[in-house]
Amino acid sequence: MKGGYKGKILRVNLSTGRIEKENLSPELARKFLGGVGLGSYLLFKEVPAGTDPLGESNKLFFCTGPLTGTRIPTGRYVVVFKSPLTSILGWSSSAGHWGPELKFAGYDLLIVEGASSSPVYLWIDDDFVELRKAQHLWGATTSETQRRIRKELGDEEVRIACIGPAGERLVRFASIINDEGRAAGRCGAGAVMGSKKLKAIAVRGHGGVKVADPERVSELVKRMYEVWKSEPFVRSLHLYGTNAMTSFTSGIAAFPTRNFQSGWFEEWEKLSGPTLSKTLLVKKAGCFGCPIACGRVSVVKSGPYQGMVVWGPEYEHVNTFGAGCGNSDLEIVSICHQLVNEYGMDGISCGRAISFAMECYEKGLLKKEEADGLDLTWGNKETIVELVKRIGERRGIGDLLAEGTRLAAKRLGRGTEKYAMQTKGLEYAGYEPRGMKGMALTYALGNRGGCHITTGMLYLDIGTMTWMYPLDSPLDPQVLDLEKVKAEIALERRYTVIEAAVLCKFFAGIVFTPSLLASSLSAVTGWEMDEGEVDRIGERIWTLQRMFNVREGISRKDDTLPERFFTEPLPDGFSQGQVLDRKTFEEMLDTYYRMVGWDENGIPREEKIRELGLEEFLPLR
């Protein structure tokens, strides 16, 4: 390979302690690139149907991409696995510096398989790789774990990805934390690490990443910087972090409020990016090579958590622990953000589990004595913080909510299933699909469940633009039609390639055109690609992921949304009266299936599978 890859896969078996280094096939790399592409391919090949996500046979694929560690701005990595939250394909990505460090150590991928009988951590120092005992770290928070491993190794530059107490206790939405507060949050990768008794992966690399055409890469990076400086939305990310989004979603009353009972939160300005900048913000933080610096570092200034340093808060937590729970106190949001990072949990699923419990409580479906005597009325600040801790420790009512809203509702019964705001088991982020109707498709069709970032539809639905899907004029957020289906298909392919190249969606998803994405891959790898090949790679990976999920029982019945969105019009704000029309939704689903070559039940047709070069998976369906 001319550039972009190290050509090596590191495989670690925790059951036997065996450590192997394998060659990466150039043909496979060109077909699936890396990141979520290669990870999904290997997951399908190596993890049998029906595997228990928390069993020894599940595997973790930590994947970089061809652009990782190059001058193209990206500091991310992707981890692929079978999810304990959804029981289908799970993947999660994180920013920071851990991904490039793995590449600098000489590896494109790390495969973790088997399970240890006692806690261990993995130490990778270029060619030197070993498993170390971690009994003394078991029970430590994520920041404490990172601090103690750095001290133990005598190197402050070591990059560490680790789990906290939530992963150890198998909270189904436990996350992996690296670089202080960066999270591979979604789908429960931390619980899979916990089930294997793998506390952390520490990496130190001293190599570089060769690119095929350095001069062309320099020219492309120059062009990217020119675009991002002139792009208003990216500028707002620099100024206010991801919390810039609060103003956009509130403006169209699509800011989920009180467990999606409304899209309009009357006190949203108390939670906004400008408010954070004026009150709690200390500094901005950036990832490897990225000029945007959308990360925030804040400090809690009052109350029992006064002085707590917070790596955030991010927009999603502002919504889930703020408006989602009827809370307008930005300090409480910040405390919850830091607590979920310290326990190692996905703040989206955690916040939605709390708002689910609050709505059940308010409707008399969850009694006070069942909630450990806690008062779960909307906006109760002390209860929100306490529930985060109880979930992280699987204590009392927290043990039920640690299962995620779908399983919690199933166990609770009493009709509470309709208040679990999720698709395929994954809870929704901070975008209301009745006021942002394109998001209805993205949530319903996401291969990892109710995910908001498998496409860039949210940018189209808030009335901004994405260069990944150029338009002459903005689309109407309150309309679900053929144009939204076309956008869904194009964007899911291009955003999948972004996750396979392992780029940041805040940067590449907005600044890159399809042409720029193809040029970047060509300049780095030396494989000349055009937009058509890039789109075909995205389609191949997307279809492969669907095939994996079909093997696990997924079909049209799962490509849906909770009944609330079809029967309860939004009560106030710009989107007042908006509701999803069931007939239109089903028609758009039919159109989508037809356009991507799936049958009426959402199963990829054999001719489409062969057309994409995936016939080796036909016997495994």
Side-chain angles (χ1 to χ4, degrees):
M1 289 180 272
K2 295 179 183 175
Y5 294 93
K6 305 300 285 191
K8 292 290 179 188
I9 296 173
L10 178 64
R11 185 183 293 270
V12 177
N13 188 307
L14 297 174
S15 298
T16 64
R18 188 169 181 176
I19 297 170
E20 298 174 286
K21 294 166 187 172
E22 304 169 1
N23 293 327
L24 173 63
S25 157
E27 294 74 25
L28 205 58
R30 177 149 191 175
K31 204 169 175 181
F32 295 96
L33 290 182
V36 78
L38 274 176
S40 298
Y41 174 87
L42 292 168
L43 181 79
F44 206 156
K45 291 280 284 188
E46 297 191 12
V47 175
T51 292
D52 176 3
L54 297 176
E56 189 174 349
S57 297
N58 198 8
K59 300 188 182 188
L60 289 157
F61 301 89
F62 292 86
C63 310
T64 67
L67 305 187
T68 305
T70 70
R71 291 186 59 206
I72 309 283
T74 171
R76 304 191 74 87
Y77 67 94
V78 173
V79 55
V80 181
F81 50 96
K82 185 174 180 183
S83 166
L85 182 65
T86 64
S87 293
I88 56 176
L89 182 142
W91 61 266
S92 191
S93 74
S94 179
H97 299 258
W98 191 90
E101 200 73 15
L102 181 66
K103 195 84 166 280
F104 297 154
Y107 309 102
D108 297 300
L109 279 89
L110 163 66
I111 302 174
V112 177
E113 56 193 23
S116 175
S117 58
S118 60
V120 294
Y121 76 88
L122 181 63
W123 168 221
I124 303 169
D125 185 10
D126 293 327
D127 286 335
F128 177 79
V129 183
E130 71 172 1
L131 287 166
R132 291 189 165 204
K133 293 181 180 178
Q135 189 66 55
H136 60 298
L137 298 171
W138 209 245
T141 62
T142 57
S143 63
E144 179 68 7
T145 298
Q146 293 176 71
R147 188 187 67 77
R148 288 167 66 179
I149 289 178
R150 286 196 187 100
K151 184 178 180 183
E152 190 171 300
L153 295 173
D155 187 345
E156 287 299 312
E157 298 301 316
V158 170
R159 301 293 177 180
I160 299 158
C162 67
I163 60 171
E168 297 170 11
R169 293 179 171 86
L170 308 184
V171 172
R172 289 186 183 273
F173 44 81
S175 63
I176 298 171
I177 301 290
N178 60 276
D179 295 300
E180 306 303 338
R182 296 296 186 174
R186 308 238 68 189
C187 300
V192 181
M193 272 183 73
S195 72
K196 297 179 180 303
K197 289 192 167 49
L198 179 61
K199 180 67 176 176
I201 304 169
V203 184
R204 191 75 163 98
H206 298 85
V209 180
K210 181 183 171 186
V211 300
D213 188 340
E215 288 185 13
R216 190 178 175 191
V217 169
S218 294
E219 183 57 37
L220 289 167
V221 171
K222 184 179 175 184
R223 196 191 314 170
M224 292 170 198
Y225 275 57
E226 288 170 355
V227 173
W228 91 262
K229 285 179 181 175
S230 62
E231 171 54 53
F233 185 71
V234 178
R235 292 293 299 164
S236 68
L237 283 174
H238 175 71
L239 288 172
Y240 302 120
T242 57
N243 197 14
M245 189 63 79
T246 298
S247 301
F248 289 94
T249 51
S250 295
I252 56 173
F255 191 48
T257 299
R258 298 181 182 85
N259 202 35
F260 288 84
Q261 292 187 73
S262 173
W264 171 249
F265 188 51
E266 60 281 4
E267 296 181 282
W268 69 270
E269 286 180 291
K270 293 181 179 178
L271 299 170
S272 69
T275 300
L276 177 68
S277 296
K278 291 174 190 169
T279 55
L280 308 179
L281 182 69
V282 175
K283 65 177 182 179
K284 298 169 185 171
C287 297
F288 178 87
C290 182
I292 298 178
C294 68
R296 310 284 101 168
V297 180
S298 309
V299 171
V300 176
K301 295 186 175 175
S302 63
Y305 291 89
Q306 184 176 12
M308 173 188 264
V309 176
V310 178
W311 288 80
E314 303 285 349
Y315 166 76
E316 301 302 344
H317 295 181
V318 167
N319 181 258
T320 55
F321 296 115
C325 292
N327 163 47
S328 62
D329 190 325
L330 198 50
E331 281 203 334
I332 294 298
V333 169
S334 300
I335 291 165
C336 291
H337 174 96
Q338 190 59 27
L339 284 176
V340 294
N341 280 353
E342 292 290 359
Y343 279 103
M345 292 189 287
D346 173 22
I348 297 175
S349 288
C350 184
R352 294 290 180 240
I354 293 171
S355 59
F356 160 78
M358 285 182 147
E359 182 163 16
C360 292
Y361 181 87
E362 292 267 2
K363 287 184 161 54
L365 300 170
L366 179 66
K367 297 183 176 124
K368 194 169 185 176
E369 54 269 29
E370 294 176 304
D372 308 332
L374 296 171
D375 175 7
L376 269 64
T377 51
W378 293 119
N380 189 323
K381 302 172 187 177
E382 291 76 17
T383 291
I384 296 169
V385 174
E386 181 62 24
L387 282 175
V388 171
K389 294 191 286 187
R390 288 180 186 237
I391 292 170
E393 296 164 11
R394 272 193 176 272
R395 179 161 51 92
I397 182 70
D399 187 48
L400 175 71
L401 300 179
E403 294 291 273
T405 58
R406 183 174 66 175
L407 272 178
K410 187 176 180 182
R411 293 184 185 177
L412 198 56
R414 308 166 197 169
T416 57
E417 291 89 346
K418 61 184 175 182
Y419 304 121
M421 308 312 290
Q422 50 78 33
T423 287
K424 303 184 183 85
L426 187 67
E427 290 79 9
Y428 304 129
Y431 311 93
E432 163 57 66
R434 285 166 291 188
M436 300 171 66
K437 288 195 169 65
M439 286 302 296
L441 285 176
T442 294
Y443 281 151
L445 291 163
N447 277 331
R448 67 174 178 178
C451 174
H452 61 297
I453 54 169
T454 48
T455 74
M457 187 68 80
L458 67 92
Y459 300 123
L460 301 184
D461 267 347
I462 61 173
T464 63
M465 307 288 274
T466 167
W467 291 104
M468 268 295 157
Y469 191 70
L471 292 166
D472 294 331
S473 59
L475 299 178
D476 186 338
Q478 297 179 347
V479 171
L480 181 59
D481 59 8
L482 180 59
E483 289 305 314
K484 294 286 178 73
V485 176
K486 290 178 180 175
E488 168 73 21
I489 293 170
L491 286 169
E492 68 191 16
R493 291 174 183 172
R494 291 165 190 171
Y495 270 59
T496 297
V497 171
I498 288 175
E499 290 287 2
V502 193
L503 286 160
C504 173
K505 286 177 175 171
F506 289 131
F507 188 83
I510 301 169
V511 171
F512 277 39
T513 61
S515 171
L516 187 56
L517 180 58
S519 296
S520 299
L521 287 166
S522 301
V524 169
T525 64
W527 297 323
E528 202 56 43
M529 297 182 183
D530 59 18
E531 296 171 40
E533 181 174 353
V534 169
D535 274 356
R536 181 50 61 101
I537 291 171
E539 183 183 12
R540 180 180 299 122
I541 298 168
W542 186 266
T543 304
L544 178 71
Q545 292 178 332
R546 179 69 175 195
M547 291 170 67
F548 180 94
N549 287 342
V550 168
R551 190 185 73 172
E552 302 297 322
I554 292 295
S555 65
R556 182 183 187 124
K557 69 182 186 312
D558 305 290
D559 296 337
T560 189
L561 303 167
E563 193 63 18
R564 158 169 287 165
F565 296 135
F566 297 100
T567 58
E568 298 178 21
L570 285 170
D572 40 27
F574 178 85
S575 297
Q576 184 177 25
Q578 290 297 314
V579 69
L580 285 171
D581 178 71
R582 172 70 77 180
K583 183 171 178 291
T584 301
F585 177 80
E586 295 296 337
E587 287 174 352
M588 293 304 106
L589 212 53
D590 284 332
T591 302
Y592 172 89
Y593 290 158
R594 190 167 56 252
M595 290 175 70
V596 299
W598 299 358
D599 69 16
E600 64 281 1
N601 203 28
I603 312 298
R605 296 183 185 278
E606 183 171 335
E607 54 267 34
K608 173 57 69 175
I609 292 169
R610 293 188 183 280
E611 177 190 317
L612 294 171
L614 296 171
E615 54 270 22
E616 67 179 297
F617 291 98
L618 281 169
L620 301 177
R621 289 188 300 170

